[in-house]
Each structure stands twice: as structure tokens, then as C-alpha cells.
């Protein structure tokens, strides 16, 4: 422990002045600080510059640090940032980015990413579209993809049997393509996001079908002990033994995305006792596992090495706890207490970089850890903005002013992408490996039509 700390300290430039200053009792001060960090975050986005791709962060590795999903998550954070602070500086960039990645079938499956796509990658973008609907983020004109319909397209595709298979009694697989590593893994995150989106779609549209699927998904997670009786939320299991050997690693995004979904189910059911107990239980688990003395902590990676993905999780944890407290008000006081102590710690370690205000990830140590990036900045924007939740409007619904246009059948029509695959497979450019993958993709698309119709 000690040598690590010493070497981190020596790497950290000593800057006496800057540091991120904020009075957490003052909404204006929070907004000022959040605006600075949001600007720092957007400095990682190069999508509008020549030679870069609109909508994504530099990557995916080895071309840059960030996978495709993380930009989708970042735009969701920026929608919350605008909705809670009122600062619309970045809205046009966010709008353009989401539409740029919606894909020709309007389901966040552009062919650039389809071959490496996981269900969770697709649904992180789906949740962002849903946040846009719930906040009346500027609606695209007629003829362009609509936020609610985009979310419904993702949900419909993930409800279909071809994303699941009969193993383990259903449940979404991690990967979509059979050739991808992880196709045999049925893990918590895609199922938890499907649960979350179903609960939010039910509340938004008042269509009970979504809620029924969310209840089924919850039961599936419980039955396979991906969520145990103490509300530990584990990572997943492989189909080889019918999902009976559960990988017990815990990541905060799993628990947080479930909390937000359960809070929406609580709200949608007009405060059912079952959902009340699940919301309470999940919050107990989150406080026990992911907070260290009131500060957000990612146990599975902070004790060792954190790769890029988990580094953005603390922002989701804060934001999704905050929205949960709006739709399940009985947890409001507990949530705000945690968010305040944690945000204090988050801000206090933002002393890095040449300007002395860049943020690290190890909030509970009380000092900048020597490394910054889009994930670290996303977390602190999310934490600061979440403190404004008490004065912010709750997520809208179709019945309370939400204007986004939906399409219950989105995602189930003929696929334009199928034709594009056809062109590639008949050309010479694709190597043998890729052709195999594409042919398998074809077989799946045909199967998908058979099952769906
Ligand atoms: C797909 O990749 C091409 C080539 O890099 C790029 O021009 C295009 O903008 C990308 N589209 C999306 C949606 O990422
Ligand atoms: C696999 O688990 C499901 C429940 O998840 C059960 O219905 C099925 O019978 C199990 N199959 C085998 C082969 O054990
Ligand atoms: C919740 O209450 C509202 C208003 O009383 C009612 O219209 C709605 O059907 C109820 N929802 C459920 C899921 O029971
Ligand atoms: C826990 O946090 C409080 C302030 O929030 C601080 O006074 C106390 O020293 C901390 N305890 C530990 C063990 O870090
Ligand atoms: C549902 O959420 C709204 C905020 O949108 C809140 O005012 C209401 O009290 C919640 N309903 C219940 C039953 O907690
Ligand atoms: C949403 O609200 C609009 C306007 O009130 C209404 O025409 C439409 O049918 C509603 N859609 C759903 C899915 O409830
Ligand atoms: C409710 O949602 C389901 C699932 O997407 C859909 O099949 C059905 O048409 C929807 N019902 C209405 C009234 O929109």
C-alpha cells in the first residue's frame, strides 16, 4: 500500500492554487463547478474534428481508450446535466451525437459496431434515448429518429428470443454475435438494463407489457441468485452449467441500474409493498458494498487495477440514486445524505493536471490518484449535477408533458443493415474470418424474422 501511495504522490504535479472549488450548500456554486468539469469532460470528445467519428469518444482500443458504449453513457450524463443545471451549452453536440450513432435501422446497431456489439452496449445508448424522452430533450424533426421510438426499438429487439436462447430458463446473453467471446455468458448488466428500460417505458407509456417483462426479468435474476437475499448483486454466469456457478464480482452499475428500475416499478405500481421492499433492499446493498464511510467506492477495481470501463461507474451510481429518490421519495433523505458526503470527497480530490482541477477515481483516499480521463470527469459532473435533484423536475411521462413520439413496433421491421451485410459478403474486401461472422449474422437475422413474426 505505502509504496504505491508514495509513487502516486511523486507523479502528481504540485499545484498550490487551483483545485475545484465548490460550496455544496449553494446551487449556484454547484452549477459553476459542474460547468467547469463538463467542459473538461467534453475536451475528450473529438467527434466533430476532421478524421474523427461523430458521436463517439476516441477509440475503441487500440485506436483510443474508449469503447463505443461509453460515449452513449456520456451523452446520457450530459442530458441529466442539462436537465438538472439548466445549462444547454452542449445540447446541440449531444443531439447530433445521439442521432449520428442511431444507425440506419434506428436501433443503435450501426454496422461499424454490430460485429462487436453486446446487448449492454446497445442498451446503454437505449437508456440515453429514454432519458432524452423523459426530459423533453429537443425532439428531432419528423422523419428523423425519435427518442422514445429509439428506446422502444432497443427494448423490442432485446425482448426477442434470438437474443436469449433457452439456456438457464431465458435471460439475455451478454453478446449478440455467436462468434463473440461472451456469447455463452448470461450476465447481470444486459438483463438489469432491460429491466430498467422496461420499468421506465411502463411508467412513461402506461403500457403494462413492459412492466410484466421487467417483473419476469427481476424474478429471473433472483431465481439464479444473481441478486442474493442480502441484495448483493453479482456479475453473471455461463450457460455451460445452466447458469449455476455465479461469478461473484460486484460492480456498482449493476446495482444502481436495478435500483433505478425498481424505483420506477415502485412508482408505476403506485407504491406496491413488494417494490418498496426491493428498493430498500437494493439501497441497503449499495450503501454496504459501494460506499466507504459515505464515499462512493468500486470494490472490485479499486482494490486492484481499474480498467477503463469501471472508471465511469461512480457517475451512474450518483445519477441513478438521485432519480430513484424522485420516483421513490421514501428513500430521499438516505440518498441525499450519501450523495452529499460522497460528492464532497469527489470534489476534494480534483487537484490534478496542469490546471490543478482534474479529477481522479480513488475518491475515498482524499487525494488525486495521478490519472484522469473521460470516465473520471463524467463521474464528478454526475455527482455535482445530482445534488441539484431536489429542485429538478422528475422524469416526465406521456401523461405529464413528455412530447417524444413512440412506436411500439420499432425495431421489428425489415433491417436495412441486412442488405449492407449482403454487399460486403459478396465483395472481396472482407477476410475469411469476417465473412464467417457475417454469414452467421445472416442466419441469425433470418431466424429473428421467423421468431418475431
Ligand atoms: C463508421 O465508420 C466510418 C469509417 O471510419 C465513418 O466514416 C462513419 O462515420 C462511421 N459511422 C458511425 C455511425 O460510426
Ligand atoms: C436449467 O435451468 C432452468 C431454469 O433456469 C430449468 O428450467 C431447466 O430445467 C434447467 N435445465 C437443466 C438441463 O438443468
Ligand atoms: C395507479 O393509480 C392511478 C391513479 O389512481 C391509476 O390510474 C393506475 O391504473 C394505477 N396503476 C397501477 C399499475 O395500478
Ligand atoms: C469518515 O468520514 C467522517 C466525515 O465524513 C470523518 O470525520 C471520519 O474520520 C471518517 N472515518 C474514516 C475511518 O475515514
Ligand atoms: C411517483 O413519482 C412522482 C414524481 O414523478 C412523485 O411525485 C410521486 O409521489 C411518485 N409516486 C409514489 C407512489 O411515490
Ligand atoms: C400520449 O399522449 C398523447 C397526447 O395526450 C396521446 O395522443 C397518445 O395516445 C398518448 N400515447 C400513449 C402511448 O399513451
Ligand atoms: C404495449 O407494448 C407492447 C410491447 O412492445 C406492444 O406489443 C403493444 O402494442 C403496446 N400496446 C400499446 C397499446 O401500445
Amino acid at each position: 500500500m505505502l509504496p504505491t501511495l508514495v509513487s502516486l504522490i511523486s507523479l502528481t504535479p504540485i499545484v498550490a492554487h487551483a483545485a475545484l472549488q465548490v460550496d455544496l450548500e449553494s446551487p449556484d456554486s454547484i452549477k459553476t463547478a459542474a460547468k467547469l468539469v463538463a467542459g473538461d469532460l467534453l475536451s475528450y470528445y473529438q467527434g466533430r474534428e476532421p478524421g474523427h467519428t461523430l458521436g463517439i469518444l476516441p477509440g475503441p482500443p487500440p485506436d483510443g481508450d474508449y469503447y463505443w458504449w461509453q460515449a452513449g453513457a456520456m451523452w446520457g450524463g450530459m442530458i441529466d446535466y442539462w436537465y438538472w443545471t439548466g445549462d444547454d451549452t452542449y445540447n446541440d453536440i449531444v443531439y447530433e451525437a445521439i442521432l449520428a450513432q442511431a444507425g440506419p435501422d434506428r436501433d443503435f446497431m450501426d454496422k461499424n459496431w454490430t460485429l462487436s456489439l453486446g446487448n449492454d452496449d446497445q442498451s446503454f445508448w437505449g437508456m440515453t434515448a429514454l432519458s432524452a424522452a423523459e426530459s423533453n430533450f429537443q425532439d428531432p424533426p419528423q422523419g428523423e429518429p425519435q427518442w422514445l421510438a429509439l428506446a422502444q426499438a432497443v427494448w423490442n429487439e432485446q425482448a426477442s428470443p434470438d437474443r436469449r436462447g433457452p439456456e438457464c430458463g431465458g435471460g439475455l446473453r451478454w453478446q449478440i454475435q455467436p462468434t463473440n467471446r461472451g456469447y455463452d455468458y448470461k450476465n447481470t448488466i444486459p438483463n438489469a438494463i432491460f429491466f430498467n428500460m422496461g420499468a421506465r417505458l411502463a411508467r412513461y407509456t402506461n403500457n403494462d407489457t413492459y412492466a410484466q417483462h421487467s417483473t419476469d426479468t427481476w424474478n429471473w435474476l433472483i431465481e439464479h441468485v444473481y441478486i442474493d437475499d442480502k441484495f448483493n448483486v453479482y456479475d453473471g454466469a455461463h450457460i455451460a452449467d445452466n447458469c449455476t456457478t455465479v461469478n461473484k464480482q460486484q460492480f456498482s452499475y449493476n446495482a444502481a441500474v436495478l435500483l433505478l428500475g425498481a424505483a420506477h416499478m415502485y412508482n408505476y405500481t403506485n407504491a406496491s409493498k413488494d417494490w418498496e421492499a426491493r428498493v430498500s433492499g437494493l439501497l441497503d446493498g449499495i450503501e454496504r458494498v459501494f460506499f466507504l464511510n459515505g464515499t462512493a467506492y468500486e470494490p472490485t477495481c479499486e482494490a486492484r487495477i481499474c480498467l477503463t470501463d469501471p472508471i465511469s461507474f461512480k457517475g451512474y451510481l450518483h445519477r441513478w440514486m438521485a432519480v430513484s429518490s424522485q420516483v421513490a421519495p421514501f428513500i430521499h433523505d438516505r440518498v441525499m445524505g450519501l450523495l452529499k458526503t460522497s460528492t464532497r470527497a469527489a470534489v476534494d480530490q480534483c487537484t490534478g493536471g496542469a490546471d490543478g482541477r482534474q479529477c481522479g477515481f480513488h475518491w475515498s483516499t482524499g487525494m488525486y490518484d495521478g490519472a484522469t480521463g473521460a470516465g473520471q470527469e463524467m463521474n464528478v459532473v454526475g455527482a455535482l449535477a445530482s445534488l441539484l435533484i431536489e429542485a429538478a423536475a422528475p422524469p416526465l411521462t406521456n401523461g405529464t408533458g413528455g412530447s417524444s413520439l413512440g412506436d411500439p413496433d420499432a425495431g421489428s421491421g425489415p433491417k436495412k443493415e441486412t442488405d449492407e451485410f449482403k454487399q460486403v459478403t459478396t465483395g472481396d474486401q472482407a477476410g475469411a474470418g469476417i465473412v464467417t461472422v457475417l454469414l452467421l449474422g445472416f442466419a441469425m437475422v433470418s431466424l429473428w424474422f421467423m421468431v418475431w413474426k
Side-chain angles (χ1 to χ4, degrees):
M1 194 87 185
L2 200 55
T4 318
L5 283 179
V6 169
S7 63
L8 283 176
I9 291 164
S10 61
L11 282 174
T12 308
I14 296 165
V15 181
H17 56 287
L20 191 60
Q21 302 291 333
V22 56
D23 170 5
L24 296 185
E25 299 307 317
S26 154
D28 285 340
S29 174
I30 292 172
K31 284 179 198 174
T32 303
K35 193 177 171 74
L36 285 174
V37 187
D40 292 342
L41 168 59
L42 266 291
S43 73
Y44 289 90
Y45 178 58
Q46 298 166 1
R48 286 183 151 188
E49 291 161 28
H52 294 269
T53 299
L54 267 184
I56 66 168
L57 285 162
D63 296 337
D65 285 343
Y66 305 99
Y67 288 98
W68 179 74
W69 74 271
Q70 198 166 333
M74 175 171 87
W75 306 127
M78 291 305 295
I79 289 171
D80 285 353
Y81 167 80
W82 154 73
Y83 197 43
W84 302 340
T85 64
D87 176 17
D88 64 5
T89 307
Y90 302 105
N91 284 19
D92 289 343
I93 292 176
V94 176
Y95 172 95
E96 171 190 68
I98 301 171
L99 290 184
Q101 292 297 330
D105 293 314
R106 305 184 167 190
D107 59 354
F108 297 114
M109 286 191 67
D110 187 89
K111 66 176 188 312
N112 284 11
W113 320 111
T114 310
L115 291 183
S116 59
L117 201 67
N119 282 302
D120 52 345
D121 300 310
Q122 185 192 21
S123 58
F124 252 99
W125 284 86
M127 285 195 291
T128 288
L130 193 45
S131 294
E134 291 166 340
S135 60
N136 273 353
F137 188 66
Q138 53 205 66
D139 284 314
Q142 233 186 0
E144 294 286 318
Q146 305 297 316
W147 309 133
L148 178 59
L150 282 165
Q152 287 169 314
V154 171
W155 187 92
N156 284 337
E157 290 179 359
Q158 299 201 349
S160 92
D162 77 291
R163 294 288 176 93
R164 297 161 174 268
E167 306 86 355
C168 320
L172 277 163
R173 297 168 179 277
W174 182 23
Q175 294 297 309
I176 298 173
Q177 307 294 342
T179 42
N180 279 356
R181 223 182 124 172
Y183 185 68
D184 62 344
Y185 192 46
K186 290 199 170 178
N187 52 343
T188 301
I189 189 63
N191 289 289
I193 299 177
F194 182 74
F195 164 78
N196 171 300
M197 290 186 70
R200 291 161 64 187
L201 285 167
R203 179 174 175 274
Y204 190 97
T205 64
N206 204 31
N207 178 338
D208 199 59
T209 305
Y210 299 116
Q212 289 163 18
H213 279 264
S214 287
T215 300
D216 290 348
T217 300
W218 177 269
N219 292 340
W220 186 85
L221 291 165
I222 295 285
E223 188 187 323
H224 292 86
V225 202
Y226 288 17
I227 305 170
D228 76 8
D229 56 3
K230 301 206 164 45
F231 290 89
N232 291 302
V233 179
Y234 302 123
D235 197 63
H238 287 89
I239 62 177
D241 64 354
N242 209 19
C243 301
T244 49
T245 311
V246 176
N247 166 2
K248 297 215 159 159
Q249 288 194 315
Q250 297 200 56
F251 292 102
S252 64
Y253 74 156
N254 283 321
V257 85
L258 287 170
L259 176 71
L260 182 60
H264 276 76
M265 289 301 289
Y266 169 85
N267 197 274
Y268 171 74
T269 58
N270 297 326
S272 90
K273 288 286 162 212
D274 280 350
W275 287 110
E276 181 182 324
R278 292 163 187 161
V279 168
S280 292
L282 285 165
L283 186 56
D284 291 345
I286 283 172
E287 181 166 6
R288 184 181 67 241
V289 179
F290 301 109
F291 283 85
L292 206 58
N293 195 25
T295 297
Y297 179 74
E298 197 64 45
T300 303
C301 90
E302 285 193 64
R304 301 179 219 138
I305 300 253
C306 292
L307 301 174
T308 309
D309 280 353
I311 284 185
S312 63
F313 290 177
K314 289 178 185 177
Y316 316 138
L317 178 64
H318 275 242
R319 284 164 45 217
W320 296 341
M321 285 172 70
V323 182
S324 296
S325 79
Q326 290 182 302
V327 293
F330 74 95
I331 59 170
H332 169 272
D333 292 355
R334 262 180 90 187
V335 164
M336 291 316 294
L338 285 168
L339 295 186
K340 277 184 188 153
T341 50
S342 185
T343 305
R344 182 75 264 161
V347 166
D348 288 348
Q349 53 87 49
C350 293
T351 60
D355 61 8
R357 65 155 194 259
Q358 299 300 304
C359 308
F361 182 66
H362 296 74
W363 296 359
S364 60
T365 64
M367 68 181 93
Y368 177 61
D369 61 18
T372 194
Q376 289 90 333
E377 300 298 305
M378 267 163 81
N379 290 337
V380 177
V381 183
L384 284 165
S386 293
L387 292 185
L388 302 167
I389 200 74
E390 288 162 297
L396 301 170
T397 69
N398 189 51
T400 60
S403 60
S404 187
L405 295 176
D407 173 5
D409 299 324
S412 52
K415 301 263 168 204
K416 292 201 181 90
E417 288 292 69
T418 313
D419 297 336
E420 299 193 28
F421 278 170
K422 230 178 256 166
Q423 282 160 19
V424 178
T425 47
T426 49
D428 295 329
Q429 313 99 311
I434 307 238
V435 172
T436 317
V437 171
L438 290 170
L439 288 175
L440 274 169
F442 245 122
M444 274 192 30
V445 171
S446 330
L447 180 68
W448 189 82
F449 278 119
M450 281 157 53
V451 172
W452 193 250
K453 298 228 151 150

